[in-house]
Amino acid sequence: MKRLACALLMLLASQLGAADFDYRLAAVQVAKDVYAFIGKTEDFTTDNGGNIVNTAFIVAPQGVIVIDTGSSLRYGQQMRRAIATVTAKPIALVINTHHHPDHFLGNQAFADVPIAALAETRNGIAADGNAFAENLFRMSGDWMKGTEVQVPSRTLSPGRLDVAGRSLRLVALDGHTGADLVIDDEASGVIFAGDLVFNGRAPTTPHADVAHWLAALDRLEALTRESGFKLLLPGHGKPTSDAAPIRQTRAWLSWLTAAMRESAKSGLDMNDVLARPLPAEFADMPLAATEYRRSVGHLFPAAEQEALGGKP
Amino acid sequence: MKYPLTIAAIALAALMPPAEAAALRENGDPLDSARWSEMRKAFLAGAPVLFDPRVKVIAPSTAENPMQVPVTVDATALPGVVEVVVFADFNPIVQVLRFFPEAAPAFLGFRVKLQQSTPVRAAARTADGVWHVGGAWVNTVGGGCTAPSAAGGSKEWQQRLNEVSGRQWSEGPNAGRVRLRIVHPMDTGLVAGTPAFFLEEINFTDTAGKRVMRVQTYEPVSENPVFTLNRGEAAGPLEASGRDNNGNAFKARIAQ
Ligand SMILES: [Zn+2]
């Protein structure tokens, strides 16, 4: 009975909020010539249609550089229209920061321009893209209509990238996934951190290597200490002019790995670990309980294997 | 069968706290599953059945990874358990495992593959022949960015089939607990081109050669199974031995 009521409520909510499938994307100027679309700090639902991610664009002298394309064809199309209200310049390049679906499933709307990503990100999108899309169809429903995977056509390598009259510094890190691209737009002082940084929302870990992620956060924090730094745009949550979200992400990940290791060492079963309460520090963070539950599934087996003396 | 069972239920209820006694009932599946009568026929036929809150099935209400759903069966509040059968009503292969807690408390943790949302149930048979049934619904339509779980699977087992790693805890809040992991693909045979290949039997014996618990496992138990037992008053190392359906045997000592 409770389940039925819940299903009905969800249906009702989806019909109220999503009837026009309009994400109502509004470009927020975060620096000179730099704009972002700030998503909600929520999980995918049929109500938000997957507008839970930050995407961005830079209006460069000879064209527009797009950073991530959102979670569906509709998102990509609406994003492109919103960009056109800001500038008449053509899109010069689209960059995907990593291979998670909310960051690349809008690529289809940019199929006529070069789309670029790190080699491992391209491989990941080619390999897992369809499975991700299916998952989002299940979670976001009709918002996903017509969405197909568009694999990036160009490979990026770390270092300097000159595009449309703008010089970007590409920093190839990893830990959130096997390849996480950080873009440092030195002209504006904006650092696009991708999902290495979450602000005011619990981080997701389906492909995480936490030790690598923590090392990547140290690198990122060092970048924010450079003299030109002005603004940090996380993959999820509000932009900041300081490194606070980096510290917040680090605090969560450090606690999470320590909790997994210590639980495994003291003989807890996975259900015991799931039942552990969240520390007060994170209790009010959006999606903390949900992401904790997911992360136990992603990270506890390795901690357990280590505690049981198995080979990794 | 109707009369003696009712008497048994009343007698039991008298011994239990009111809330638990209220939950004790003979008919009407508390989980409202369309397949309950089929399940009852398949596993518990010809014996009295009682829905009993003393048989606890602990599992997440939403399973993030349906290939590795943690399930803990705790029937230690019920005295005299001889056998426990675990099944999932809507799984393509319904029977998950059976265990016989000979010299151990009626407690077992493991992980299971679920194809869709389903009740996961444990029926504990007591020496008087009554099946005491507990269960929990597990919803598999959760998900998020979780990848198609280990697509293609790891091939770890080819070199390390039946390798056992494990540990016992002799102090702390989990004293008496035994946990072990066995490397095995646990193929169901439902995927085209991959025949069923799974562990069938695991025996736990103490150093004196006395059997502590016997477990019969079936296809739905997850890849590289992990088990949690409570040994109660642990004494010395525990030996785990068993075999899969292809006759590959294993034997390992789990030190204290
Ligand atoms: Zn991500």
Side-chain angles (χ1 to χ4, degrees), chain A residues 1 3 43-44 100-102 128 131-132 135-136 138-139 204 206-207 263-272 274 293-294 297-298 300-301 304-305 307-312, chain B residues 31 58-60 62-65 68 70-72 109-111 137 139-148 151 156 160 163 165-167 169 174 177 179-181 226-228:
Chain A
M1 198 51 217
R3 262 193 311 281
D43 205 350
F44 298 94
H100 280 160
D102 45 335
D128 295 338
F132 284 143
N135 206 13
L136 289 207
R138 207 155 46 65
M139 298 184 73
T204 65
H207 306 99
S263 297
K265 258 195 192 152
S266 62
L268 296 193
D269 180 87
M270 198 187 268
N271 279 316
D272 302 327
L274 287 168
R293 175 166 58 74
R294 291 175 176 161
H298 304 142
F300 184 65
E304 175 179 68
Q305 204 175 332
L308 295 180
K311 290 173 204 142
Chain B
L31 299 181
I58 301 156
T62 300
E64 173 68 14
N65 180 0
Q68 294 276 350
V71 175
T72 307
F110 49 93
R111 287 175 209 154
W137 263 98
N139 197 326
T140 56
V141 287
C145 276
T146 297
E156 180 188 14
R160 289 158 62 179
E163 192 176 286
S165 49
R167 221 186 116 177
W169 281 261
N174 294 310
R177 189 167 268 206
R179 306 200 69 221
L180 70 155
R181 175 181 188 267
V226 178
F227 297 98
T228 305

Side-chain angles (χ1 to χ4, degrees), chain A residues 25 37 55-57 64-70 72-84 90-96 103-116 150-153:
Chain A
L25 297 178
F37 300 101
T55 58
F57 63 98
V64 178
I65 304 160
V66 173
I67 296 164
D68 285 340
T69 58
S72 68
L73 168 61
R74 288 188 212 262
Y75 185 105
Q77 289 167 333
Q78 292 172 26
M79 181 185 183
R80 199 164 178 175
R81 280 201 293 273
I83 294 170
I91 310 284
L93 181 71
V94 173
I95 297 175
N96 294 143
H103 299 260
F104 73 78
L105 279 176
N107 282 4
Q108 223 179 334
F110 299 91
D112 57 323
V113 296
I115 304 176
Q150 179 82 35
V151 180
S153 50

Side-chain angles (χ1 to χ4, degrees), chain B residues 137-195:
Chain B
W137 263 98
V138 179
N139 197 326
T140 56
V141 287
C145 276
T146 297
S149 87
S154 74
K155 290 284 169 258
E156 180 188 14
W157 63 268
Q158 288 172 329
Q159 289 83 40
R160 289 158 62 179
L161 185 74
N162 283 341
E163 192 176 286
V164 178
S165 49
R167 221 186 116 177
Q168 292 191 62
W169 281 261
S170 53
E171 48 195 47
N174 294 310
R177 189 167 268 206
V178 182
R179 306 200 69 221
L180 70 155
R181 175 181 188 267
I182 308 170
V183 176
H184 205 286
M186 298 300 287
D187 289 318
T188 57
L190 298 174
V191 178
T194 310

